[in-house]
Amino acid sequence: MGVEGKERTRELEAGAQILSGQLGKTVQRLRKAYNLSLSELAEQSGVAKSIISQIERNETNPTLATIWRLSQALDVSIERVLATVDDEPFIQKSSRPDTPILVSDDGKMRLSIIGWIKTVEWLQWYDIASEPGGVLDSDAHQRGSVEHLSVLEGEFEVEVAGVVQRARAGETLRYRCDRPHTVRCIAGEPGRATMVCILKAAVME
């Protein structure tokens, strides 16, 4: 192999390492956005738990088939999973297919993850659309975490530790979410709201 060929090989290897490193971070952020464990993502994607762990730690270069399975399980396009920091413009647009959706256990409340995936470990925000009577039960987040529910349409109520508060369109509820909490759409009409969760916030007295 000539000098130019060796140089080209080194460039490709360096590019692969950068891509693999960014891929691992992206997979981990998306997995955490869905609150999925490694085992749960492995079950949903058909990719071995050990392989996913290696990908997240940048210890392996996964095949395109593996990346495709993970993108399907994480409900994002393969282009989004493969995107590197340098590829992303200053003004970034997320299409509908690239917006992950969470659904409440009763199937009546849908949460579109509209927050930036890079802030998911400390800041999360969602667009909520609920049918009448929709209920979202959530486990406790990290100690000191605070959630903000701003109602756009309809009426919601939040219950935390037996305390219940209601809010109509134009009103916002702020509450500790470091303990089990429930959000309900209580009006006889569909409800819309924006939810912002600040994780690891200063502990409230």
Side-chain angles (χ1 to χ4, degrees):
M1 182 184 294
V3 175
E4 292 183 0
K6 291 181 180 179
E7 185 65 27
R8 178 57 177 164
T9 298
R10 282 196 292 269
E11 290 177 357
L12 291 173
E13 289 176 348
Q17 290 176 354
I18 293 172
L19 177 60
S20 178
Q22 183 62 28
L23 171 66
K25 293 177 182 178
T26 301
V27 169
Q28 186 178 67
R29 288 184 181 121
L30 288 169
R31 177 173 65 81
K32 290 183 177 181
Y34 275 113
N35 294 316
L36 293 174
S37 66
L38 285 170
S39 297
E40 290 170 332
L41 180 55
E43 181 179 353
Q44 293 185 22
S45 66
V47 178
K49 175 182 174 181
S50 59
I51 297 298
I52 298 175
S53 179
Q54 290 174 10
I55 291 172
E56 291 189 356
R57 296 197 306 270
N58 190 26
E59 295 178 353
T60 185
N61 290 319
T63 65
L64 189 59
T66 295
I67 298 172
W68 183 84
R69 292 191 188 99
L70 290 173
S71 70
Q72 292 296 298
L74 294 168
D75 196 26
V76 295
S77 68
I78 194 168
E79 291 83 6
R80 181 67 184 91
V81 174
L82 290 173
T84 66
V85 174
D86 292 338
D87 291 333
E88 296 177 0
F90 181 75
I91 299 179
Q92 186 182 67
K93 177 181 178 180
S94 294
S95 64
R96 185 181 294 271
D98 280 343
T99 303
I101 303 293
L102 303 178
V103 182
S104 60
D105 290 339
D106 63 5
K108 294 183 177 181
M109 197 175 293
R110 294 169 58 85
L111 287 77
S112 301
I113 303 177
I114 57 176
W116 200 20
I117 199 65
K118 295 183 180 181
T119 69
V120 70
E121 295 182 13
W122 58 273
L123 178 66
Q124 304 170 0
W125 67 98
Y126 310 86
D127 178 72
I128 299 177
S130 179
E131 299 176 23
V135 178
L136 177 67
D137 291 314
S138 300
D139 294 328
H141 300 309
Q142 294 97 320
R143 179 169 171 76
S145 298
V146 178
E147 213 161 73
H148 309 249
L149 182 75
S150 297
V151 181
L152 304 176
E153 299 175 9
E155 184 175 4
F156 289 80
E157 72 175 18
V158 173
E159 180 176 354
V160 183
V163 177
V164 178
Q165 184 63 266
R166 296 182 174 184
R168 298 170 183 258
E171 299 178 330
T172 297
L173 296 176
R174 297 181 180 88
Y175 47 94
R176 293 184 63 161
C177 57
D178 57 358
R179 57 198 65 188
H181 50 286
T182 301
V183 176
R184 304 184 184 94
C185 180
I186 58 175
E189 59 184 355
R192 286 287 307 279
T194 297
M195 176 189 290
V196 177
C197 181
I198 303 175
L199 303 173
K200 301 179 182 178
V203 178
M204 297 174 60
E205 298 294 335

